Amino acid sequence: MSPRHSTAEAARTRDRIVQAAVLDGSRLGLEGLTVGTLAQRLGMSKAGVVGPFGSRDQLLRAALEQACRIFAAAVTEPLKDLPPGPDRLGRLIDGWVGYLADCPFPGGCFVTAASSELDGRPGPLRERLSEIVASQRRALAAEVAAAQAGLPGPHRPAEEVATTLVGLSMAANQEIQLLGDPSAPARARAAMRHAAGLQP
């Protein structure tokens, strides 16, 4: 096998492991994800599963990063050509709720579940998750502020609106995943648009 093919095969193996880790982590939690379970599921040795990452912790981090990329591809990347403003924020909310309603993860929103799981567990994984969530909050507050500039006032502080939107999304995730409520997405969309000062 040539070095190029060997590198490509290693990358495919790494991607396959990460995808399996994301799915298992969604169902079992990141802390509940074991190398043995992954190895059995993938038909690999434990050393083969951990090898591309160096450690279980780095594997878990790779799963977290991949889950965030999946969220971004579904919710924020489709907006990249839209100028900041009310329409963009409305579409962000619609995409966000759509992601929750038809979630690619069997356990619902990965970051929401990981936040509940890791909030009281110090360590590098929690620190990285905290960085991700803080960055997402700042970006959301900036979207809200840009939308408010195009809407009649007065307005609540953008950071407060962002907190409200995150809270509503977490409630929607629970109603969709735990309660199986088919009316939850429409209700969440309406509530989030109202909180943002947008038309229903």
Side-chain angles (χ1 to χ4, degrees):
M1 183 180 292
S2 70
R4 179 179 296 176
H5 286 138
S6 178
T7 300
E9 182 60 29
R12 283 194 294 271
T13 298
R14 188 183 191 282
D15 289 346
R16 184 167 160 251
I17 295 168
V18 170
Q19 292 296 341
V22 168
L23 293 177
D24 281 3
S26 174
R27 285 192 299 264
L28 305 172
L30 285 170
E31 292 297 323
L33 179 62
T34 67
V35 174
T37 300
L38 273 179
Q40 184 175 25
R41 180 211 240 274
L42 293 168
M44 298 174 65
S45 68
K46 292 182 181 180
V49 168
V50 173
F53 308 93
S55 69
R56 176 177 175 271
D57 286 347
Q58 289 302 311
L59 168 57
L60 295 182
R61 176 165 175 155
L64 176 61
E65 301 284 357
Q66 176 64 12
C68 292
R69 284 192 289 271
I70 291 170
F71 174 85
V75 179
T76 59
E77 288 178 13
L79 308 176
K80 62 183 179 182
D81 294 328
L82 287 176
D87 182 58
R88 178 174 159 125
L89 180 59
R91 293 194 188 193
L92 186 152
I93 289 170
D94 292 346
W96 193 355
V97 173
Y99 159 86
L100 294 173
D102 190 20
C103 196
F105 307 116
C109 179
F110 197 100
V111 170
T112 296
S115 296
S116 297
E117 177 187 3
L118 299 176
D119 60 359
R121 298 184 185 182
L125 196 61
R126 180 187 183 277
E127 290 173 9
R128 178 58 186 142
L129 178 60
S130 178
E131 291 171 357
I132 290 168
V133 170
S135 176
Q136 290 177 339
R137 291 290 183 96
R138 287 192 298 270
L140 179 58
E143 293 282 1
V144 171
Q148 288 176 338
L151 294 169
H155 303 295
R156 291 157 53 205
E159 290 79 8
E160 181 183 325
V161 175
T163 294
T164 301
L165 293 176
V166 171
L168 289 169
S169 77
M170 294 175 77
N173 186 67
Q174 183 184 65
E175 291 177 349
I176 291 166
Q177 294 296 324
L178 182 63
L179 303 182
D181 185 348
S183 66
R187 187 166 55 250
R189 184 177 288 107
M192 291 171 77
R193 281 180 162 271
H194 176 76
L198 304 174
Q199 293 295 321

